[in-house]
Amino acid sequence: MGIGEAIAKVFVDHGAQVVLLSRDSARLEAARSRIGHADQTLALACDVRHREEIDRVIGLTMHHFQRIDIWVNNAGHGILDGVASVNMADCRSTFETNFFGAVESMQAVLPIMKQQRAGSIINISSVAGHIPIPFHGVYSATKFAMNAIGKAARIELMDSGINVLTVCPGYVKTDFSANVLRGAEPKRFRPKSARGISAPRVARAVLNGYLKNKREVIVPWTMIPMVKLYQLFPGLVERAMTRMAKNTP
């Protein structure tokens, strides 16, 4: 759904053979139908929280296509709660999908890419991995971790012919919010001026970043000054967020 489906479509439209993964088989087949080019796609059920399922879909992919050139880590969900009240089981569950699932997927596919002496890992992170968002602290923490692991891996793998691209979208118009975990303080912190960009726009940025072998892509570009502002003057941004938080229902 959302960004994942849009990424699959843009790569299929550019001639790639794409394997779509999801825990929901019905949603998976619906997305495959919308994308079209059925001769270029394969849909497989997979829950990235379980290594055996990752290994299974990698085995099937290798059987069908004999190689894996790109692996996209996009599985994830949000969680709305304050740090003081967040349920630890929900916290661990969010990390299992958003972060540990991505790391295990990287560990599973990298031996194939190393043998090929080529490949790309694309980690879909978030601007929230640069600027922590109030009442989204756990989600932000998973994305900070995603940013760190991806950039460290990029350096480690540079001599192996493998690139690791970290993609950090800002607000995106998808159904992502419909699946968030809501805790005791489920405050939705979002500037009124943030309308959000489309999933296809994110997908185009992903494709461009892949083709240019980039380290990181922040989309839209208007979020780049905000990230730099927070890095240089965090207190200024925090004061603005504090005022906004007081007006958050």
Side-chain angles (χ1 to χ4, degrees):
M1 60 184 290
I3 293 173
E5 181 177 332
I7 291 173
K9 178 168 175 52
V10 76
F11 275 90
V12 165
D13 287 346
H14 280 76
Q17 294 174 309
V18 176
V19 180
L20 296 89
L21 307 178
S22 173
R23 289 181 292 178
D24 188 326
S25 297
R27 177 183 291 165
L28 195 59
E29 288 299 336
R32 184 171 181 242
S33 177
R34 287 190 296 269
I35 290 168
H37 302 284
D39 58 320
Q40 293 173 230
T41 62
L42 182 66
L44 300 173
C46 179
D47 186 338
V48 296
R49 295 174 299 178
H50 305 296
R51 176 59 182 265
E52 64 274 13
E53 294 196 26
I54 299 169
D55 290 336
R56 177 180 59 81
V57 297
I58 285 177
L60 289 170
T61 300
M62 292 298 292
H63 175 74
H64 280 270
F65 299 121
Q66 288 74 57
R67 61 184 293 117
I68 298 176
D69 296 294
I70 305 168
W71 182 276
V72 181
N73 283 313
N74 180 64
H77 63 76
I79 177 169
L80 292 176
D81 208 348
V83 174
S85 58
V86 66
N87 178 278
M88 287 308 300
D90 290 343
C91 180
R92 291 187 176 93
S93 174
T94 303
F95 266 91
E96 284 290 345
T97 298
N98 294 16
F99 180 65
F100 295 126
V103 176
E104 287 221 83
S105 294
M106 290 170 68
Q107 290 185 341
V109 77
L110 279 172
I112 293 169
M113 292 184 174
K114 286 181 176 179
Q115 188 174 27
Q116 295 171 174
R117 297 293 300 173
S120 290
I121 303 287
I122 301 176
N123 290 331
I124 308 302
S125 181
S126 171
V127 168
H130 285 286
I131 305 173
I133 309 299
F135 306 105
H136 296 67
V138 172
Y139 175 77
S140 286
T142 66
K143 296 306 183 179
F144 267 81
M146 179 77 90
N147 289 357
I149 205 80
K151 291 171 184 178
R154 186 176 191 271
I155 299 169
E156 295 168 5
L157 298 165
M158 201 166 287
D159 293 335
S160 302
I162 301 166
N163 186 54
V164 182
L165 167 64
T166 300
V167 180
C168 296
Y171 296 108
V172 184
K173 291 180 286 188
T174 69
D175 292 332
F176 180 82
S177 61
N179 298 311
V180 299
L181 297 174
R182 291 173 170 80
E185 294 184 278
K187 296 185 179 181
R188 192 176 302 282
F189 186 89
R190 176 175 176 173
K192 293 180 181 178
S193 60
R195 296 181 179 179
I197 60 174
S198 69
R201 183 173 175 182
V202 177
R204 291 192 297 270
V206 170
L207 177 64
N208 183 63
Y210 162 72
L211 292 173
K212 294 184 177 181
N213 224 36
K214 287 190 174 184
R215 172 190 301 105
E216 182 177 52
V217 170
I218 295 175
V219 58
W221 68 266
T222 52
M223 294 304 300
I224 297 175
M226 290 299 299
V227 170
K228 297 300 181 185
L229 182 65
Y230 181 76
Q231 291 171 344
L232 294 171
F233 306 104
L236 184 66
V237 177
E238 286 171 358
R239 285 194 292 273
M241 284 187 171
T242 299
R243 289 194 296 270
M244 291 171 61
K246 290 178 180 178
N247 297 320
T248 300

